[in-house]
Amino acid sequence: MRVLIWILSALMLYPLAAAQEQRKFSFQHFSTADGLVSNQVNSIVQDQDGYLWIGTTDGLQRYDGIRHYTFRYQPGAKNALPANAIAKLLYDKKNRLWLLMANGQTGIFDTKKFLFYDATLKAGDLGTKIRQSKNIFMDELGGIFLLLESKELFRWDEYGKEFIPAFSFLKQDHDWRIESFVHEPGSKKYWMGLYGGSFIVYNAETQNLSSPGHNIEDERLIDYYANVKTP
């Protein structure tokens, strides 16, 4: 009898538990009529204080749940945004807001003082071409990486306060075009998707580079996706 009561109780509680698992979300639509500086939003991040930072084609905005506070380029103003079009935002583990401008310029925006500081880049093999296409990433440990021209990869040096070449194996004379970059969680491996197919994997612990036709560490995905054109 006790077993029957237990089963009946469990069956009665199941619909309640299932109902609790169904999370409901509400969405609110924002446009320029509601305070957005542009209807084209390229990137959004949230800081430790809960503010939403919105990168648009016409400036940076902070949203506090009620109003939008706008930051835009101001000619002649010191430490103002260098341009209005923002390609990507990144909020790192040191609570810094990184801005990647559409023109390729990169820097840190002080979210307390509202000032922009340009990030210096050692141009490496590309000489003075430091304002070309870029992408910015963060690894699991909080390291900041900058991909330039789909060729050269840089990392942020906290001591020198500049971007320096990330790995010695990445040189301009390689035929690789790195389209994507990610750190494998729980490891020291960095995966890079190549334009035209396959991956390369750099193991920072062993300093081995595995690539198509030279798969030193026998990374199975390299061989499995060797002919995939858009990894």
Side-chain angles (χ1 to χ4, degrees), residues 9-123:
S9 299
L11 290 174
M12 291 174 66
L13 290 173
Y14 177 76
L16 178 60
Q20 290 177 342
E21 291 176 358
Q22 295 178 0
R23 302 180 65 182
K24 294 183 179 180
F25 300 90
S26 61
F27 294 88
Q28 185 176 357
H29 180 256
F30 293 98
S31 68
T32 52
D34 304 292
L36 272 182
V37 71
S38 170
N39 283 327
Q40 184 172 336
V41 175
N42 294 329
S43 189
I44 300 177
V45 296
Q46 187 174 29
D47 67 18
Q48 63 176 346
D49 297 318
Y51 291 116
L52 288 179
W53 292 89
I54 306 168
T56 78
T57 56
D58 198 24
L60 174 70
Q61 291 192 291
R62 189 191 73 178
Y63 180 62
D64 59 10
I66 299 175
R67 63 182 62 84
H68 295 84
Y69 196 90
T70 305
F71 305 91
R72 304 181 77 249
Y73 169 66
Q74 301 175 35
K78 186 178 180 180
N79 295 114
L81 290 188
N84 289 326
I86 299 171
K88 187 174 181 178
L89 302 176
L90 188 151
Y91 193 71
D92 72 11
K93 294 189 177 183
K94 293 182 180 292
N95 302 317
R96 297 175 299 195
L97 180 62
W98 291 84
L99 272 63
L100 174 60
M101 313 305 293
N103 65 3
Q105 193 166 355
T106 313
I108 298 172
F109 187 80
D110 189 322
T111 59
K112 305 298 184 184
K113 298 180 180 179
F114 306 145
L115 300 174
F116 177 86
Y117 298 96
D118 188 58
T120 304
L121 170 67
K122 282 188 176 179

